[in-house]
Amino acid sequence: MSVAPLKKPDNKSSLPINPSSKAGRLRSLLTSLETEFIMEAHDGLSAKIVEEAGFDGIWASGLTISAALGVRDNNEASWTQVLEVLEFMSDATTIPMLVDGDTGYGNFNNVRRVVRKLGQRGIAGICIEDKLFPKTNSFIGEGQPLADMDEFCGKIKAGKDSQVDEDFCVVARLEALISGQGMAEALKRADAYYSAGADALLIHSKTREPDEILTFLSEWGDRCPVVIVPTTYYDTPTEAWRKAEVSLVIWANHNLRASITAMREVSATILRDQTIAAVENEVATVSDIFELAGNAELSNAEKIYLPTSQGGAKAIVLAASRGSALGDLTADRPKCMLDIRGKPLLGRLIDTLKGGGIRDITVVRGYRKEMVNLPTVKTIDNDQFETTGEVSTLACAADKLKGETILAYGDVLFRQYIIDQIAEIDGDIVLAVDALWRERDPDPTSRTRDLVSSSTPFNTGYLNDEVISVREIGHDLKANEIDGEWIGVARLSTDGAATVRDELNNMSADGSLKKASLTDLFTRLLARNVPIQILYVAGQWLDIDNPGDLKDASSFL
Ligand code: SPV
Ligand code: MG
């Protein structure tokens, strides 16, 4: 072959390729100077697996799509039934797909319609073969009749004239070698199909040795991209294809064949054993299915779009206290209703919770409760707020402590991502703890602070799954034991919420509930050996204790 040009010439070589379309990316694979590889898929799941494996493209095989539908590779599935499958495959993936379009499902007119429909579905290209409709798989029988060459050229032209994306690829597949018509016929047709506008040629063979393919490649040269399907000559080293400057190699049916073997084995084992115990560790997990199906994306979308708390997390906000240190500012309203740049502090906190996907929010109010009147939140009252503490306020909402629950003080502001991150920590009770607590207020005694001593001081080198737990929590820990400050946001799992409810009952029974703070509650849980986990955060929050904090809150926004 002559010295390779920068790109393999194709019928569009003078125009730039659009790399952002799937068709453009298939065209790049066909025209790149490297030998590229695409892998068979037959449904949305196998297409995802091909992409997940790292392939740059998908071969949507007629044989395997038919087989997966339980029918023969004889156009038994109608082209619109195949199109439905292709649509799922295309939607499920971001890499380009070359569709096995058999003989084009009819004459030039059918090709026009198919090409338009594929383009509308973001499919990158079609391969059509020069046989007759209804087709028979190339590996069956001998001497299958070929299409009339000129008629087939008309199909290629019709396809090219119907493409929606300018980079859509029409690959013309030569069956002359397989049908026993010889190399000269294959080369004659190659020339005609390329002249008719084909973007690439697929030279097919069913011999055990690669000789006729190698001969075709050397005779045809580098006039346009050439695609091969080494199903029968499978043990030819890939290096030979690189050397022969093959543009694209199709691994045509191996995902379906692998699944047949795997399904047979697992079915036979379960039938024989009458239990699934032996196969459990041999098959993909159910959560793997969920991951492949993209369930995580759906639960995020539910947070954004579902109108009510359809089983999602809820929040309880403790907002009963006045905030006496704020003096006159809280004469007529509790501190949670103080204005922060045109909106009450509590309104801003609720926006953050809602932005984190929490729809069901209950605020426990006390002091000047009539002022706590925000729409879209439920309220519960602690009318004993003057003589009781935080745990009493929480106990007023004990009936709400069911299922996944975020617990928050009503006087805090924090960045929304903390809601997402705290949900990712494995644990039934998780506290968001500020590792940069010193920077906030160097003197730990400057206000009442919920200080935390932890099993692992904050560092930046954690392993992802490292569990960090609270050792001690309180308002006056020894200075050298403080690892952070609880920011007033906790997440309780369903079990965690039940544990807290249980402890509220204990505290009510032994009379300690009335005056207790939340740190007292957590301390009691730790004494019961209930693990409390930590999400470390680095600043990005504040609470409102004094007029200076109000100013900080304004700039925090
Ligand atoms: C297919 O995968 O459906 C093909 C390739 O067309 S072959 O089965 O080799 O004909
Ligand atoms: Mg096929």
Side-chain angles (χ1 to χ4, degrees), residues 25 46 66 78 161 168 209 225 241-242 298 309 332 334 419-420 427 437 448 467 487 493-494 554:
R25 281 180 279 139
S46 52
S66 303
S78 73
D161 288 344
F168 186 87
E209 300 303 326
W241 310 131
R242 293 206 170 91
L298 178 58
S309 60
D332 68 340
I419 295 286
D420 297 330
W437 63 283
T448 305
V467 176
I487 73 166
S493 71
T494 301
S554 261

PDB file of all heavy atoms in Angstrom, residues 25 46 66 78 161 168 209 225 241-242 298 309 332 334 419-420 427 437 448 467 487 493-494 554:
ATOM      1  N   ARG A  25     -18.646  10.643  15.157  1.00  0.00           N
ATOM      2  CA  ARG A  25     -17.669   9.785  15.837  1.00  0.00           C
ATOM      3  C   ARG A  25     -17.510   8.436  15.122  1.00  0.00           C
ATOM      4  O   ARG A  25     -16.421   7.873  15.105  1.00  0.00           O
ATOM      5  CB  ARG A  25     -18.021   9.644  17.320  1.00  0.00           C
ATOM      6  CG  ARG A  25     -17.560  10.908  18.078  1.00  0.00           C
ATOM      7  CD  ARG A  25     -17.857  10.859  19.533  1.00  0.00           C
ATOM      8  NE  ARG A  25     -19.251  11.226  19.754  1.00  0.00           N
ATOM      9  CZ  ARG A  25     -20.045  10.621  20.621  1.00  0.00           C
ATOM     10  NH1 ARG A  25     -19.604   9.621  21.338  1.00  0.00           N
ATOM     11  NH2 ARG A  25     -21.281  11.041  20.768  1.00  0.00           N
ATOM     12  N   SER A  46     -27.036  -4.941  26.655  1.00  0.00           N
ATOM     13  CA  SER A  46     -25.740  -5.340  26.090  1.00  0.00           C
ATOM     14  C   SER A  46     -25.035  -4.127  25.476  1.00  0.00           C
ATOM     15  O   SER A  46     -23.809  -4.019  25.529  1.00  0.00           O
ATOM     16  CB  SER A  46     -25.905  -6.466  25.068  1.00  0.00           C
ATOM     17  OG  SER A  46     -26.870  -6.152  24.095  1.00  0.00           O
ATOM     18  N   SER A  66     -32.070 -10.539  16.162  1.00  0.00           N
ATOM     19  CA  SER A  66     -33.100 -11.533  15.834  1.00  0.00           C
ATOM     20  C   SER A  66     -33.107 -12.648  16.873  1.00  0.00           C
ATOM     21  O   SER A  66     -34.160 -13.003  17.413  1.00  0.00           O
ATOM     22  CB  SER A  66     -32.847 -12.145  14.455  1.00  0.00           C
ATOM     23  OG  SER A  66     -32.793 -11.147  13.475  1.00  0.00           O
ATOM     24  N   SER A  78     -39.825  -7.619  11.829  1.00  0.00           N
ATOM     25  CA  SER A  78     -40.008  -6.546  10.850  1.00  0.00           C
ATOM     26  C   SER A  78     -39.006  -5.431  11.132  1.00  0.00           C
ATOM     27  O   SER A  78     -38.456  -5.337  12.233  1.00  0.00           O
ATOM     28  CB  SER A  78     -41.431  -5.981  10.947  1.00  0.00           C
ATOM     29  OG  SER A  78     -41.552  -5.208  12.132  1.00  0.00           O
ATOM     30  N   ASP A 161     -28.720  10.097   0.168  1.00  0.00           N
ATOM     31  CA  ASP A 161     -29.565  11.277  -0.045  1.00  0.00           C
ATOM     32  C   ASP A 161     -30.595  11.475   1.065  1.00  0.00           C
ATOM     33  O   ASP A 161     -31.244  12.519   1.133  1.00  0.00           O
ATOM     34  CB  ASP A 161     -30.302  11.151  -1.394  1.00  0.00           C
ATOM     35  CG  ASP A 161     -29.342  11.350  -2.566  1.00  0.00           C
ATOM     36  OD1 ASP A 161     -28.225  11.873  -2.326  1.00  0.00           O
ATOM     37  OD2 ASP A 161     -29.702  10.978  -3.699  1.00  0.00           O
ATOM     38  N   PHE A 168     -23.586  10.857   8.861  1.00  0.00           N
ATOM     39  CA  PHE A 168     -24.159   9.506   8.863  1.00  0.00           C
ATOM     40  C   PHE A 168     -23.404   8.640   7.843  1.00  0.00           C
ATOM     41  O   PHE A 168     -23.067   9.104   6.745  1.00  0.00           O
ATOM     42  CB  PHE A 168     -25.644   9.579   8.494  1.00  0.00           C
ATOM     43  CG  PHE A 168     -26.361   8.261   8.603  1.00  0.00           C
ATOM     44  CD1 PHE A 168     -26.917   7.853   9.812  1.00  0.00           C
ATOM     45  CD2 PHE A 168     -26.492   7.416   7.494  1.00  0.00           C
ATOM     46  CE1 PHE A 168     -27.579   6.637   9.918  1.00  0.00           C
ATOM     47  CE2 PHE A 168     -27.152   6.204   7.593  1.00  0.00           C
ATOM     48  CZ  PHE A 168     -27.699   5.803   8.808  1.00  0.00           C
ATOM     49  N   GLU A 209      -9.643 -19.319   7.055  1.00  0.00           N
ATOM     50  CA  GLU A 209      -8.359 -18.602   6.957  1.00  0.00           C
ATOM     51  C   GLU A 209      -8.610 -17.188   6.414  1.00  0.00           C
ATOM     52  O   GLU A 209      -9.590 -16.956   5.703  1.00  0.00           O
ATOM     53  CB  GLU A 209      -7.411 -19.339   5.997  1.00  0.00           C
ATOM     54  CG  GLU A 209      -7.083 -20.754   6.425  1.00  0.00           C
ATOM     55  CD  GLU A 209      -6.465 -20.819   7.813  1.00  0.00           C
ATOM     56  OE1 GLU A 209      -5.714 -19.870   8.168  1.00  0.00           O
ATOM     57  OE2 GLU A 209      -6.742 -21.784   8.545  1.00  0.00           O
ATOM     58  N   PRO A 225     -12.211   3.526   3.472  1.00  0.00           N
ATOM     59  CA  PRO A 225     -12.162   2.668   4.664  1.00  0.00           C
ATOM     60  C   PRO A 225     -12.779   1.298   4.389  1.00  0.00           C
ATOM     61  O   PRO A 225     -13.783   1.199   3.678  1.00  0.00           O
ATOM     62  CB  PRO A 225     -13.004   3.441   5.683  1.00  0.00           C
ATOM     63  CG  PRO A 225     -13.003   4.857   5.209  1.00  0.00           C
ATOM     64  CD  PRO A 225     -12.955   4.785   3.713  1.00  0.00           C
ATOM     65  N   TRP A 241      -4.401  -7.295  10.950  1.00  0.00           N
ATOM     66  CA  TRP A 241      -5.384  -6.294  10.478  1.00  0.00           C
ATOM     67  C   TRP A 241      -4.787  -4.893  10.520  1.00  0.00           C
ATOM     68  O   TRP A 241      -5.059  -4.060   9.677  1.00  0.00           O
ATOM     69  CB  TRP A 241      -6.676  -6.358  11.299  1.00  0.00           C
ATOM     70  CG  TRP A 241      -7.222  -7.754  11.429  1.00  0.00           C
ATOM     71  CD1 TRP A 241      -7.617  -8.384  12.560  1.00  0.00           C
ATOM     72  CD2 TRP A 241      -7.403  -8.693  10.357  1.00  0.00           C
ATOM     73  NE1 TRP A 241      -8.032  -9.658  12.286  1.00  0.00           N
ATOM     74  CE2 TRP A 241      -7.913  -9.874  10.945  1.00  0.00           C
ATOM     75  CE3 TRP A 241      -7.167  -8.675   8.982  1.00  0.00           C
ATOM     76  CZ2 TRP A 241      -8.204 -11.017  10.207  1.00  0.00           C
ATOM     77  CZ3 TRP A 241      -7.464  -9.808   8.244  1.00  0.00           C
ATOM     78  CH2 TRP A 241      -7.974 -10.957   8.847  1.00  0.00           C
ATOM     79  N   ARG A 242      -3.958  -4.678  11.534  1.00  0.00           N
ATOM     80  CA  ARG A 242      -3.289  -3.359  11.604  1.00  0.00           C
ATOM     81  C   ARG A 242      -2.344  -3.199  10.418  1.00  0.00           C
ATOM     82  O   ARG A 242      -2.304  -2.158   9.779  1.00  0.00           O
ATOM     83  CB  ARG A 242      -2.512  -3.227  12.918  1.00  0.00           C
ATOM     84  CG  ARG A 242      -3.376  -3.185  14.144  1.00  0.00           C
ATOM     85  CD  ARG A 242      -2.702  -2.444  15.301  1.00  0.00           C
ATOM     86  NE  ARG A 242      -3.667  -2.224  16.359  1.00  0.00           N
ATOM     87  CZ  ARG A 242      -3.882  -3.063  17.373  1.00  0.00           C
ATOM     88  NH1 ARG A 242      -3.172  -4.168  17.485  1.00  0.00           N
ATOM     89  NH2 ARG A 242      -4.796  -2.790  18.282  1.00  0.00           N
ATOM     90  N   LEU A 298     -32.422   8.285  38.597  1.00  0.00           N
ATOM     91  CA  LEU A 298     -33.860   8.441  38.840  1.00  0.00           C
ATOM     92  C   LEU A 298     -34.116   8.954  40.249  1.00  0.00           C
ATOM     93  O   LEU A 298     -34.926   9.854  40.450  1.00  0.00           O
ATOM     94  CB  LEU A 298     -34.597   7.110  38.609  1.00  0.00           C
ATOM     95  CG  LEU A 298     -36.094   7.135  38.886  1.00  0.00           C
ATOM     96  CD1 LEU A 298     -36.800   8.189  38.033  1.00  0.00           C
ATOM     97  CD2 LEU A 298     -36.722   5.761  38.645  1.00  0.00           C
ATOM     98  N   SER A 309     -43.256  14.320  49.298  1.00  0.00           N
ATOM     99  CA  SER A 309     -42.256  13.375  49.775  1.00  0.00           C
ATOM    100  C   SER A 309     -42.746  11.965  49.512  1.00  0.00           C
ATOM    101  O   SER A 309     -43.344  11.352  50.358  1.00  0.00           O
ATOM    102  CB  SER A 309     -42.060  13.541  51.269  1.00  0.00           C
ATOM    103  OG  SER A 309     -43.295  13.289  51.899  1.00  0.00           O
ATOM    104  N   ASP A 332     -39.914  40.559  69.075  1.00  0.00           N
ATOM    105  CA  ASP A 332     -41.226  40.232  68.500  1.00  0.00           C
ATOM    106  C   ASP A 332     -41.225  38.975  67.648  1.00  0.00           C
ATOM    107  O   ASP A 332     -42.231  38.621  67.050  1.00  0.00           O
ATOM    108  CB  ASP A 332     -41.738  41.411  67.655  1.00  0.00           C
ATOM    109  CG  ASP A 332     -40.894  41.605  66.405  1.00  0.00           C
ATOM    110  OD1 ASP A 332     -39.738  41.110  66.391  1.00  0.00           O
ATOM    111  OD2 ASP A 332     -41.374  42.219  65.442  1.00  0.00           O
ATOM    112  N   PRO A 334     -38.982  34.926  66.912  1.00  0.00           N
ATOM    113  CA  PRO A 334     -37.842  34.067  67.254  1.00  0.00           C
ATOM    114  C   PRO A 334     -36.698  34.310  66.274  1.00  0.00           C
ATOM    115  O   PRO A 334     -36.929  34.816  65.172  1.00  0.00           O
ATOM    116  CB  PRO A 334     -38.412  32.654  67.089  1.00  0.00           C
ATOM    117  CG  PRO A 334     -39.505  32.808  66.089  1.00  0.00           C
ATOM    118  CD  PRO A 334     -40.083  34.168  66.284  1.00  0.00           C
ATOM    119  N   ILE A 419     -26.268  18.189  52.454  1.00  0.00           N
ATOM    120  CA  ILE A 419     -27.415  17.258  52.496  1.00  0.00           C
ATOM    121  C   ILE A 419     -27.117  16.019  51.652  1.00  0.00           C
ATOM    122  O   ILE A 419     -27.390  14.899  52.060  1.00  0.00           O
ATOM    123  CB  ILE A 419     -28.688  17.949  51.941  1.00  0.00           C
ATOM    124  CG1 ILE A 419     -29.091  19.102  52.848  1.00  0.00           C
ATOM    125  CG2 ILE A 419     -29.846  16.973  51.777  1.00  0.00           C
ATOM    126  CD1 ILE A 419     -29.719  18.668  54.136  1.00  0.00           C
ATOM    127  N   ASP A 420     -26.555  16.258  50.469  1.00  0.00           N
ATOM    128  CA  ASP A 420     -26.236  15.104  49.609  1.00  0.00           C
ATOM    129  C   ASP A 420     -25.135  14.247  50.243  1.00  0.00           C
ATOM    130  O   ASP A 420     -25.207  13.027  50.253  1.00  0.00           O
ATOM    131  CB  ASP A 420     -25.736  15.575  48.231  1.00  0.00           C
ATOM    132  CG  ASP A 420     -26.823  16.349  47.501  1.00  0.00           C
ATOM    133  OD1 ASP A 420     -28.006  16.049  47.745  1.00  0.00           O
ATOM    134  OD2 ASP A 420     -26.481  17.254  46.711  1.00  0.00           O
ATOM    135  N   GLY A 427     -24.410   4.818  57.892  1.00  0.00           N
ATOM    136  CA  GLY A 427     -24.598   4.888  59.333  1.00  0.00           C
ATOM    137  C   GLY A 427     -26.021   5.257  59.655  1.00  0.00           C
ATOM    138  O   GLY A 427     -26.702   5.868  58.829  1.00  0.00           O
ATOM    139  N   TRP A 437     -13.510  24.128  62.766  1.00  0.00           N
ATOM    140  CA  TRP A 437     -14.241  24.840  63.817  1.00  0.00           C
ATOM    141  C   TRP A 437     -13.425  25.946  64.453  1.00  0.00           C
ATOM    142  O   TRP A 437     -13.946  26.972  64.858  1.00  0.00           O
ATOM    143  CB  TRP A 437     -14.692  23.826  64.880  1.00  0.00           C
ATOM    144  CG  TRP A 437     -13.526  23.157  65.555  1.00  0.00           C
ATOM    145  CD1 TRP A 437     -12.762  22.165  65.055  1.00  0.00           C
ATOM    146  CD2 TRP A 437     -12.992  23.502  66.818  1.00  0.00           C
ATOM    147  NE1 TRP A 437     -11.767  21.835  65.917  1.00  0.00           N
ATOM    148  CE2 TRP A 437     -11.884  22.642  67.025  1.00  0.00           C
ATOM    149  CE3 TRP A 437     -13.316  24.418  67.805  1.00  0.00           C
ATOM    150  CZ2 TRP A 437     -11.116  22.696  68.171  1.00  0.00           C
ATOM    151  CZ3 TRP A 437     -12.562  24.470  68.950  1.00  0.00           C
ATOM    152  CH2 TRP A 437     -11.457  23.613  69.127  1.00  0.00           C
ATOM    153  N   THR A 448     -22.053  28.838  73.228  1.00  0.00           N
ATOM    154  CA  THR A 448     -22.305  27.415  73.468  1.00  0.00           C
ATOM    155  C   THR A 448     -22.114  26.682  72.161  1.00  0.00           C
ATOM    156  O   THR A 448     -22.821  26.944  71.187  1.00  0.00           O
ATOM    157  CB  THR A 448     -23.746  27.217  73.978  1.00  0.00           C
ATOM    158  OG1 THR A 448     -23.910  28.040  75.125  1.00  0.00           O
ATOM    159  CG2 THR A 448     -23.995  25.777  74.330  1.00  0.00           C
ATOM    160  N   VAL A 467     -14.840   4.544  58.212  1.00  0.00           N
ATOM    161  CA  VAL A 467     -15.928   4.947  59.105  1.00  0.00           C
ATOM    162  C   VAL A 467     -15.334   5.825  60.204  1.00  0.00           C
ATOM    163  O   VAL A 467     -14.386   5.439  60.877  1.00  0.00           O
ATOM    164  CB  VAL A 467     -16.602   3.703  59.720  1.00  0.00           C
ATOM    165  CG1 VAL A 467     -17.658   4.109  60.727  1.00  0.00           C
ATOM    166  CG2 VAL A 467     -17.180   2.832  58.621  1.00  0.00           C
ATOM    167  N   ILE A 487     -22.467  20.920  63.336  1.00  0.00           N
ATOM    168  CA  ILE A 487     -23.057  22.123  62.739  1.00  0.00           C
ATOM    169  C   ILE A 487     -24.571  22.194  62.959  1.00  0.00           C
ATOM    170  O   ILE A 487     -25.234  23.120  62.506  1.00  0.00           O
ATOM    171  CB  ILE A 487     -22.734  22.252  61.232  1.00  0.00           C
ATOM    172  CG1 ILE A 487     -23.526  21.242  60.390  1.00  0.00           C
ATOM    173  CG2 ILE A 487     -21.245  22.090  60.971  1.00  0.00           C
ATOM    174  CD1 ILE A 487     -23.497  21.544  58.891  1.00  0.00           C
ATOM    175  N   SER A 493     -31.187   7.371  59.817  1.00  0.00           N
ATOM    176  CA  SER A 493     -31.816   6.362  58.951  1.00  0.00           C
ATOM    177  C   SER A 493     -33.123   5.938  59.625  1.00  0.00           C
ATOM    178  O   SER A 493     -33.419   6.357  60.748  1.00  0.00           O
ATOM    179  CB  SER A 493     -30.892   5.153  58.805  1.00  0.00           C
ATOM    180  OG  SER A 493     -30.862   4.460  60.043  1.00  0.00           O
ATOM    181  N   THR A 494     -33.864   5.068  58.976  1.00  0.00           N
ATOM    182  CA  THR A 494     -35.086   4.558  59.606  1.00  0.00           C
ATOM    183  C   THR A 494     -34.760   3.949  60.963  1.00  0.00           C
ATOM    184  O   THR A 494     -35.434   4.234  61.964  1.00  0.00           O
ATOM    185  CB  THR A 494     -35.735   3.503  58.677  1.00  0.00           C
ATOM    186  OG1 THR A 494     -36.022   4.154  57.434  1.00  0.00           O
ATOM    187  CG2 THR A 494     -37.007   2.950  59.265  1.00  0.00           C
ATOM    188  N   SER A 554     -25.460  37.401  56.096  1.00  0.00           N
ATOM    189  CA  SER A 554     -25.688  38.177  54.876  1.00  0.00           C
ATOM    190  C   SER A 554     -24.604  37.908  53.847  1.00  0.00           C
ATOM    191  O   SER A 554     -24.884  37.721  52.662  1.00  0.00           O
ATOM    192  CB  SER A 554     -25.656  39.671  55.204  1.00  0.00           C
ATOM    193  OG  SER A 554     -26.944  40.134  55.338  1.00  0.00           O
TER     194      SER A 554
END
